[in-house]
Amino acid sequence: RESPPRSDSRAREMDDAALEKALLLAVSQGDVESDAFASANGADHKKVVGLLKSLESSELVRSAARDHSALKLAAEAEAYLAQGTPEAQAFAAVPPGAGVPLADFKKLDKTISDIGFKQAMQQKWLAMEKGEVPMVVRKADAVEDTARKYLTAINAGDVASVPPKELDALVKKRKLVKQETWKTFTIGKGAKFALERKKAAADLTKEMLQDGSWRDAEFKQYNLVPGAGAPPNGGCVHPLLKVRQQFREIFLQMGFAEMPTNNFVESGFWNFDTLIQPQMHPARDAHDTFFMKTPAVANRAPEDYVQRVRAMHESGGSGSIGHQYSWKRSEADKNILRTHTTAVSARCLHKLAQDGFRPAKFFSIDRVFRNEAVDRTHLAEFHQVEGVICDVGLTLGDLIGVLYQFFARLGMTQLRFKPAFNPYTEPSMEIFAYHPMLKKWVEVGNSGMFRPEMLIPMGLPEDVNVIAWGLSLERPTMIMYGIDNIRDLFGSKMQMSSVKNNPVCRLGMIEQRETVKATE
């Protein structure tokens, strides 16, 4: 009975198997040249190279590459061998004597009338005479087609007979000759050479376990080396966001709740007036604050609260005489870009009073805006970190104790305090710390206790005190990452490479026992 005809793919597989067998047999008798083997077996050299790489991966053979190069004629140059170069054809197309009208000459093939004419004029074989009828005339009685002679020599392999200058012109300028490069391989026996390749199993199968053949089977190696594959594409976290996240973790570990800070635009009421900052204060001028044009005004604060704030500004209360001036609603309603996140703290404290007071700890980390001149340490926008604690009977000692605990988690256990003035806190303190990285004392923040004039109009009980502190996010980030110009950290001058390669932020990684020790 006749066997069924083999498919083309099956025949091709047999051919590949036969070629592999022939190559291994040839290598067993000595080193083999890949090009000679391909020619002897009637196979494409690229196919032999592919087979070689496959056998090399199994360590059956080894190879050494050899580079080759040769000059070959371009397709158009091969046509010039029989017909002559375009300049010679152009010279032959012009009869001796009067020549030929330019219009008739242009009717010839473009290779002759354009390329050939230009080359012939450069070699002073032909010229164009202007007149009533432009003419193309000969400038030489006879010419030698040297380019054709050189092309013939190159085609015959006699490159040495071609002058270097002429050869360079044919290759680079006229592109009639091209440099071809290729590789061949010397193939020898590999570390695991054998006359036949044993196919390694890719998987451990049920049948192997049942018949025990897995004991003698050879398995493919799995590539489980870390980092051996292509690096995955992904984004990188900006240094500022790394430090921000660590500050956030510190606050959460200390039991603080995050305040909503998603409103960059505030009314002057929440940003200034509710903090008992007088309307004639310099900070409320256009040279310090950004004012909105559209919409220019908006104030959604409860009207009864607005009136209580107004009364506190004009005449005071609870032992305060206020600021003794005529408070203007139009000034309070102006929309601005918030100048500090304390406006957010004021909103949260007012809501806490309306919902029924309970002790609370809040924090916020977000962007604020100041109309300041931009230099190496200042931007018109930056991030403010703020912590707020409200409870009955809090004192300045409680504030100092919390600050020691907070900054100890940042790695700064030595603190100093200096009296200061803030419009909405009394007493107020500037915070200084000995920075272990800078090896010196630096100012790290501001703090204080919110004034009763701010808290009473909100509806908070009179025995409730609020302590608060704040610092910038950019300064500790610049110190940690060794940046001395804030524009290299935040803005258009920030280098993407520095975002990709910046190290891990180590803030907040201080051991708990060190924190306890620092606060004792």
Side-chain angles (χ1 to χ4, degrees):
R1 189 176 64 176
E2 293 184 1
S3 59
R6 295 181 301 172
S7 65
D8 291 342
S9 61
R10 178 63 177 167
R12 185 167 59 253
E13 289 175 5
M14 293 296 293
D15 291 342
D16 292 346
L19 188 64
E20 179 179 315
K21 188 173 182 181
L23 179 58
L24 290 173
L25 181 61
V27 171
S28 69
Q29 300 170 2
D31 289 352
V32 175
E33 297 299 328
S34 60
D35 54 343
F37 176 81
S39 178
N41 289 271
D44 182 52
H45 185 255
K46 291 182 179 179
K47 185 176 182 180
V48 174
V49 172
L51 176 61
L52 162 65
K53 297 300 181 184
S54 176
L55 292 172
E56 212 169 13
S57 66
S58 302
E59 299 186 50
L60 291 173
V61 299
R62 55 172 176 77
S63 67
R66 291 194 302 163
D67 294 320
H68 303 269
S69 65
L71 293 175
K72 299 290 183 182
L73 299 185
E76 58 179 308
E78 293 179 355
Y80 299 159
L81 294 179
Q83 303 171 7
T85 58
E87 57 266 32
Q89 296 182 54
F91 181 83
V94 178
V100 62
L102 178 62
D104 294 339
F105 187 78
K106 289 294 184 182
K107 294 178 182 179
L108 298 175
D109 186 81
K110 190 175 181 181
T111 304
I112 299 173
S113 63
D114 188 6
I115 300 174
F117 185 41
K118 290 178 180 178
Q119 289 292 331
M121 290 181 69
Q122 287 180 5
Q123 299 185 47
K124 299 183 179 180
W125 293 358
L126 298 177
M128 185 178 69
E129 292 184 351
K130 296 180 180 180
E132 187 175 343
V133 179
M135 300 292 291
V136 178
V137 297
R138 289 186 177 185
K139 300 295 288 184
D141 296 331
V143 297
E144 180 185 4
D145 194 356
T146 54
R148 180 184 181 186
K149 181 178 72 173
Y150 295 146
L151 291 174
T152 303
I154 294 171
N155 192 49
D158 186 15
V159 180
S161 65
V162 183
K165 184 177 180 181
E166 299 295 334
L167 180 62
D168 190 64
L170 291 173
V171 174
K172 296 181 179 179
K173 188 175 180 181
R174 301 191 64 178
K175 299 187 183 341
L176 295 177
V177 180
K178 56 186 179 181
Q179 184 91 21
E180 288 189 350
T181 60
W182 69 95
K183 283 186 178 183
T184 62
F185 297 86
T186 302
I187 310 170
K189 293 181 180 180
K192 298 180 181 179
F193 177 78
L195 288 175
E196 184 177 355
R197 174 159 47 176
K198 187 178 180 181
K199 189 175 181 180
D203 298 300
L204 179 64
T205 64
K206 177 181 69 175
E207 290 75 17
M208 289 181 178
L209 294 174
Q210 289 175 342
D211 59 20
S213 60
W214 62 271
R215 293 185 176 89
D216 301 320
E218 183 179 347
F219 292 91
K220 286 185 178 180
Q221 291 186 350
Y222 286 93
N223 184 7
L224 300 178
V225 180
N233 293 323
C236 302
V237 182
H238 192 283
L240 206 59
L241 295 182
K242 288 186 177 181
V243 177
R244 172 180 175 170
Q245 181 59 28
Q246 289 306 119
F247 268 100
R248 186 172 183 272
E249 293 293 335
I250 290 171
F251 275 114
L252 293 176
Q253 291 167 10
M254 294 175 66
F256 284 70
E258 189 167 10
M259 294 183 281
T261 58
N262 54 349
N263 50 323
F264 288 169
V265 177
E266 283 282 11
S267 65
F269 177 80
W270 286 108
N271 197 86
F272 296 119
D273 292 278
T274 190
L275 305 182
I276 312 301
Q277 195 162 340
Q279 293 182 341
M280 73 288 290
H281 194 281
R284 302 182 70 156
D285 293 339
H287 65 268
D288 282 330
T289 303
F290 291 108
F291 289 84
M292 298 289 293
K293 286 187 177 180
T294 305
V297 295
N299 188 359
R300 296 184 176 86
E303 188 60 30
D304 59 338
Y305 177 45
V306 173
Q307 294 305 319
R308 290 197 298 271
V309 171
R310 177 185 192 133
M312 188 62 73
H313 274 259
E314 292 183 344
S315 56
S318 300
S320 170
I321 63 171
H323 295 300
Q324 299 293 311
Y325 74 101
S326 179
W327 186 85
K328 297 179 181 179
R329 180 64 181 265
S330 59
E331 188 70 25
D333 289 349
K334 290 181 180 178
N335 279 336
I336 63 170
L337 293 180
R338 67 182 179 206
T339 62
H340 47 199
T341 53
T342 314
V344 179
S345 302
R347 284 180 178 272
C348 288
L349 290 173
H350 176 261
K351 186 176 185 302
L352 180 66
Q354 302 308 304
D355 294 344
F357 172 75
R358 56 177 177 79
K361 296 190 287 187
F362 300 116
F363 80 94
S364 64
I365 309 171
D366 211 340
R367 197 173 300 182
V368 296
F369 308 87
R370 305 274 177 88
N371 192 1
E372 294 182 345
V374 176
D375 56 30
R376 60 189 298 272
T377 58
H378 296 86
L379 288 177
E381 53 180 308
F382 58 95
H383 292 77
Q384 182 174 330
V385 181
E386 184 164 337
V388 176
I389 302 176
C390 54
D391 201 351
V392 174
L394 290 176
T395 65
L396 193 64
D398 295 308
L399 174 60
I400 292 174
V402 171
L403 292 176
Y404 267 106
Q405 188 180 32
F406 176 78
F407 283 99
R409 292 174 181 264
L410 302 182
M412 293 176 280
T413 57
Q414 301 180 60
L415 300 183
R416 289 176 180 172
F417 304 97
K418 176 183 175 182
F421 169 77
N422 291 318
Y424 44 88
T425 59
E426 179 62 36
S428 305
M429 300 185 302
E430 291 178 349
I431 311 166
F432 293 82
Y434 184 80
H435 203 289
M437 294 178 66
L438 300 179
K439 307 297 183 185
K440 64 179 182 179
W441 289 90
V442 294
E443 184 180 354
V444 292
N446 212 326
S447 64
M449 301 182 65
F450 284 151
R451 295 167 65 109
E453 296 98 315
M454 170 184 167
L455 303 179
I456 292 174
M458 293 179 177
L460 290 171
E462 292 189 5
D463 57 349
V464 169
N465 291 331
V466 179
I467 58 176
W469 70 98
L471 63 154
S472 76
L473 186 65
E474 280 77 5
R475 189 172 188 188
T477 305
M478 291 171 66
I479 294 173
M480 175 165 294
Y481 289 98
I483 300 172
D484 62 355
N485 191 326
I486 193 171
R487 289 168 290 192
D488 294 331
L489 171 69
F490 188 74
S492 59
K493 291 187 176 182
M494 178 71 181
Q495 298 295 318
M496 294 302 295
S497 58
S498 63
V499 176
K500 183 177 180 180
N501 300 322
N502 63 81
V504 173
C505 173
R506 301 188 63 84
L507 285 179
M509 296 184 182
I510 185 171
E511 293 291 339
Q512 184 66 29
R513 62 177 179 272
E514 296 181 32
T515 304
V516 173
K517 181 179 178 181
T519 56
E520 286 179 348

